[in-house]
């Protein structure tokens, strides 16, 4: 597009125009994007940018919002007038939600609030340029089509596809299934999907929360009772097993069952019969058991807390749902799924999640898994006053946010090994860029932050290819 030889730019391809009237910020963005291999042009204000836009073409324009002559919205309007497909990212520390709304209405690709993280910024730039080429935009827009869904289950990660296949396979049988996974991973949803796809779908799906029914009531709840069995038993009452006859019993939190109930349940599973409390006659039922646990049941067995024979009966087929952080690729899909759901519910017209907000979510470890994501999106839709979900309206706990940065660096060494020099250089680069960001481009202050002399910093920057364009 720029007509330049892409080989000259090294790594990433793309002509980027940076517009900022603050010199240190301009230089900082320049260093950051040049070091990634982009072809960077600088403009020291809105007016200069508009003039450049008349004579040159850019793949992406990154502009500050607040500038003295022509502001970022003005640059955006100009860019769109020259080329309606122009990609513009706005940055500002001062922008309020209204500015962001205005920017989005004028067709900005995204809006990034300051301060931002170097890696997140780089990723947004990369995604913006990829979207221009029609490449994967990592869920920036809600993808269409049904392959992302399996009934009510949303997700297209290899792990979820495997689960969909398993659900389909077990649905046609009556075998017992044990579903394990952390809280909020979708265990109940998977259980319901199995029931819905099975021949039992027209009969009941009965949920029994093994942790929620008081010990002294659990037997009468499950097996029912005969009139006169105890004080207050004025009539016969059907138990939940009978209600579920022909259908599915979902034993939620099965790891919480008391030892006595474990024995009784084992008998029902083995004999398919039970006796109501206070009754003498056995009743027989035809139910499929699907159990769920967020405990490691195998460990519970080894520790003597859960009967081994019952474990084997329940665990004929095992479906393990991985935590959301291990299938983070599903996050954009899920986030957009919940955005649609709650926008409709609250009568709002929010159709987009800002890339920056999505990036923040993708760094978050989600101890509460999909349920937590759903709650976060629900709250942000309720709070949001613009037509886009912005980072400000995400309510992640501070404690967890603090951990995000710690979780980011991995020390994995795969079977193919690593190139330590390269890895260390990357880390060094990240720290230098971070220090430059914190010192707003001042190399002297950055050197101080890094415990280096200015000379040593200059040397390292040269070695790492972090040398700014002269303008
Ligand atoms: N893959 C998914 N697609 C869409 N929604 C999901 C998915 N997984 C979970 N959810 C939603 O997240 C919430 C929690 O799911 P669910 O109740 O099935 O989790 P759980 O594993 O049973 O949690 P717990 O162990 O706390 O009982 C529900 O509102 C559910 O609709
Ligand atoms: Mg549950």
């Amino acid at each position: 597009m720029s007509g330049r030889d892409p080989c000259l730019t090294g790594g990433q391809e793309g002509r980027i125009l940076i517009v900022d009237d603050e010199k240190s910020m301009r230089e900082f963005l320049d260093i950051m994007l040049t070091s990634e291999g982009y072809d960077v042009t600088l403009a020291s204000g809105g007016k200069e940018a508009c003039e450049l836009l008349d004579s040159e073409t850019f793949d992406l324009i990154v502009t500050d919002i607040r500038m003295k002559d022509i502001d970022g919205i003005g640059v955006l309007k100009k860019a769109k007038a020259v080329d309606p497909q122009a990609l513009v990212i706005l940055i500002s520390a001062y922008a309020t939600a209204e500015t962001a709304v205005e920017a989005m209405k004028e067709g900005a690709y995204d809006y990034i609030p300051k301060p931002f993280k170097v890696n997140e910024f780089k990723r947004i730039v990369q995604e913006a340029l990829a979207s221009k080429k029609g490449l994967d935009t990592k869920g920036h827009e809600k993808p269409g089509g049904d392959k992302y869904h399996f009934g009510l289950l949303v997700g297209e990660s290899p792990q979820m596809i495997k689960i969909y296949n398993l659900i389909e396979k077990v649905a046609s049988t009556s075998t017992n299934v044990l579903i394990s996974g952390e809280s909020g991973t979708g265990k109940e949803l998977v259980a319901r999907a199995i029931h819905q796809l099975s021949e039992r779908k027209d009969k009941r799906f009965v949920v029994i929360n093994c942790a929620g029914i008081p010990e002294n009531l659990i037997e009468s709840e499950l097996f029912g009772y005969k009139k006169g069995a105890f004080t207050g038993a004025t009539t016969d009452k059907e138990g939940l097993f009978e209600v579920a006859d022909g259908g599915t019993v979902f034993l939620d939190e099965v790891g919480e069952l008391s030892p006595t109930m474990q024995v009784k349940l084992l008998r029902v599973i083995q004999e398919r019969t039970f006796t109501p409390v206070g009754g003498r006659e056995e009743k027989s039922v035809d139910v499929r058991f699907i159990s769920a646990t967020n405990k490691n049941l195998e460990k519970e067995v080894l520790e003597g807390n859960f009967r081994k024979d019952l474990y084997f009966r329940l665990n004929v087929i095992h479906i393990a749902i991985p935590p959301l952080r291990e299938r983070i690729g599903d996050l954009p899909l899920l986030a957009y799924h919940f955005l649609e759901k709650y926008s409709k519910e609250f009568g709002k017209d929010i159709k987009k999640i800002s890339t920056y907000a999505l990036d923040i979510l993708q760094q978050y470890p989600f101890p509460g898994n999909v349920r937590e994501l759903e709650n976060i999106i629900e709250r942000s839709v309720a709070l949001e006053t613009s037509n886009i979900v912005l980072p400000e309206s995400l309510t992640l706990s501070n404690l967890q946010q603090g951990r995000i940065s710690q979780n980011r660096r991995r020390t994995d060494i795969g079977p193919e090994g690593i190139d330590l020099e390269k890895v260390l250089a990357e880390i060094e680069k990240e720290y230098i860029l971070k220090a430059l960001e914190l010192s707003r481009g001042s190399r002297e202050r950055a050197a101080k932050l890094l415990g280096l002399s200015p000379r040593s910093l200059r040397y390292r920057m040269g070695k790492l290819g972090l040398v700014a364009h002269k303008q």
Side-chain angles (χ1 to χ4, degrees):
M1 191 160 196
S2 66
R4 295 187 187 187
D5 181 353
C7 295
L8 290 176
T9 60
Q12 312 266 12
E13 264 181 64
R15 279 204 85 195
I16 303 179
L17 175 65
I18 290 170
V19 193
D20 203 313
D21 57 0
E22 202 181 312
K23 186 163 173 274
S24 57
M25 191 61 193
R26 210 159 56 227
E27 287 186 347
F28 165 61
L29 292 172
D30 184 15
I31 290 172
M32 183 163 69
L33 295 175
T34 305
S35 73
E36 290 290 295
Y38 295 112
D39 179 2
V40 176
T41 303
L42 302 176
S44 60
K47 196 160 163 280
E48 190 184 337
C50 290
E51 282 163 16
L52 275 168
L53 284 167
D54 270 330
S55 54
E56 296 188 39
T57 45
F58 299 93
D59 299 314
L60 175 68
I61 299 144
V62 178
T63 177
D64 192 22
I65 290 192
R66 269 214 182 170
M67 288 180 297
K68 282 183 207 87
D69 48 6
I70 296 175
D71 69 3
I73 304 284
V75 174
L76 168 66
K77 284 183 181 162
K78 172 74 187 180
K80 287 284 173 185
V82 174
D83 171 14
Q85 304 300 319
L87 279 181
V88 182
I89 294 175
L90 292 133
I91 310 178
S92 183
Y94 310 103
T96 56
E98 289 91 81
T99 329
V101 178
E102 197 187 341
M104 298 328 282
K105 271 197 202 136
E106 293 295 336
Y109 174 79
D110 215 333
Y111 150 74
I112 303 174
K114 269 195 248 178
F116 52 80
K117 296 204 176 72
V118 169
N119 279 348
E120 267 141 31
F121 182 80
K122 282 187 196 162
R123 196 167 27 218
I124 292 172
V125 165
Q126 210 175 358
E127 283 173 21
L129 290 167
S131 80
K132 185 155 196 161
K133 285 190 195 149
L135 299 174
D136 174 27
T137 59
K138 287 199 190 146
H140 182 72
E141 299 290 349
K142 184 179 178 280
D146 275 347
K147 69 174 178 161
Y148 306 103
H149 298 253
F150 183 87
L152 294 173
L153 288 158
V154 174
E156 54 161 1
S157 57
Q159 296 102 309
M160 287 310 288
I161 304 277
K162 231 173 165 176
I163 289 173
Y164 301 160
N165 290 337
L166 255 175
I167 293 174
E168 258 175 349
K169 270 194 206 129
V170 300
S172 57
T173 70
S174 262
T175 19
N176 294 339
V177 181
L178 176 70
I179 305 170
S180 65
E182 288 180 14
S183 175
T185 44
K187 297 186 290 295
E188 185 163 341
L189 225 47
V190 167
R192 285 183 187 275
I194 295 173
H195 175 77
Q196 275 310 318
L197 282 178
S198 74
E199 284 171 358
R200 300 172 176 268
K201 71 173 190 300
D202 297 324
K203 294 285 170 65
R204 300 280 300 272
F205 177 86
V206 174
V207 179
I208 298 174
N209 184 346
C210 302
I213 308 177
E215 175 70 35
N216 57 340
L217 290 184
I218 195 162
E219 207 174 338
S220 56
E221 281 287 322
L222 300 191
F223 305 142
Y225 51 79
K226 294 303 252 185
K227 183 178 169 186
F230 45 83
T231 337
T234 48
T235 51
D236 287 2
K237 184 163 183 279
E238 269 192 341
L240 291 172
F241 282 168
E242 221 168 331
V243 172
D245 197 13
T248 306
V249 166
F250 178 55
L251 297 166
D252 204 3
E253 302 197 46
V254 74
E256 305 300 324
L257 274 180
S258 70
T260 350
M261 278 315 297
Q262 289 180 31
V263 181
K264 294 196 167 160
L265 179 63
L266 181 67
R267 185 161 165 260
V268 180
I269 295 178
Q270 275 174 337
E271 327 262 324
R272 306 268 155 193
T273 57
F274 64 90
T275 317
V277 178
R280 257 175 287 151
E281 262 171 62
E282 282 196 336
K283 291 195 170 185
S284 66
V285 275
D286 163 32
V287 291
R288 136 161 314 155
F289 289 94
I290 303 181
S291 324
T293 181
N294 51 25
K295 285 188 166 173
N296 180 343
L297 263 199
E298 216 161 313
K299 195 166 146 247
E300 296 295 309
V301 169
L302 286 175
E303 287 173 359
N305 301 323
F306 202 86
R307 291 186 70 102
K308 197 172 175 181
D309 41 11
L310 179 59
Y311 173 69
F312 284 129
R313 289 283 175 176
L314 295 175
N315 187 25
V316 180
I317 302 278
H318 183 196
I319 300 183
I321 311 182
L324 181 56
R325 62 187 163 279
E326 285 176 19
R327 50 182 160 109
I328 208 71
D330 283 340
L331 187 134
L333 280 172
L334 284 161
Y336 270 100
H337 169 72
F338 294 130
L339 178 68
E340 203 177 315
K341 175 174 166 188
Y342 289 105
S343 286
K344 216 179 268 168
E345 203 171 308
F346 297 147
K348 292 198 175 181
D349 189 30
I350 307 179
K351 292 212 171 66
K352 197 174 157 172
I353 302 175
S354 87
T355 316
Y356 195 69
L358 215 46
D359 269 348
I360 290 176
L361 289 174
Q362 276 168 311
Q363 312 281 341
Y364 183 70
F366 284 100
N369 294 290
V370 184
R371 180 184 291 113
E372 190 180 9
L373 174 66
E374 180 166 0
N375 291 341
I376 290 171
I377 299 291
E378 179 182 0
R379 264 197 307 264
S380 69
V381 170
L383 291 173
E384 196 54 73
T385 49
S386 71
N387 59 355
I388 170 170
V389 174
L390 295 167
E392 291 86 336
S393 64
L394 297 177
T395 39
L396 313 179
S397 79
N398 288 336
L399 186 76
Q400 291 296 346
Q401 262 184 333
R403 283 194 200 138
I404 293 173
S405 49
Q406 286 171 24
N407 281 346
R408 283 166 93 189
R409 179 152 297 127
R410 297 216 162 174
T411 44
D412 294 343
I413 300 184
E416 69 288 353
I418 59 156
D419 180 343
L420 185 62
E421 289 296 332
K422 215 164 138 191
V423 172
L424 291 177
E426 273 308 310
I427 295 174
E428 191 176 349
K429 208 157 135 183
E430 253 182 64
Y431 273 107
I432 291 177
L433 288 171
K434 182 78 211 170
L436 285 166
E437 179 190 339
L438 291 172
S439 60
R440 302 180 71 78
S442 155
R443 292 197 197 176
E444 211 164 301
R445 260 179 291 153
K448 213 172 241 167
L449 282 175
L450 295 165
L452 296 172
S453 67
R455 202 167 149 251
S456 166
L457 176 61
R458 203 166 47 242
Y459 167 75
R460 284 167 191 265
M461 284 175 72
K463 199 181 69 180
L464 294 166
L466 294 173
V467 184
H469 275 201
K470 293 281 167 289
Q471 167 121 353

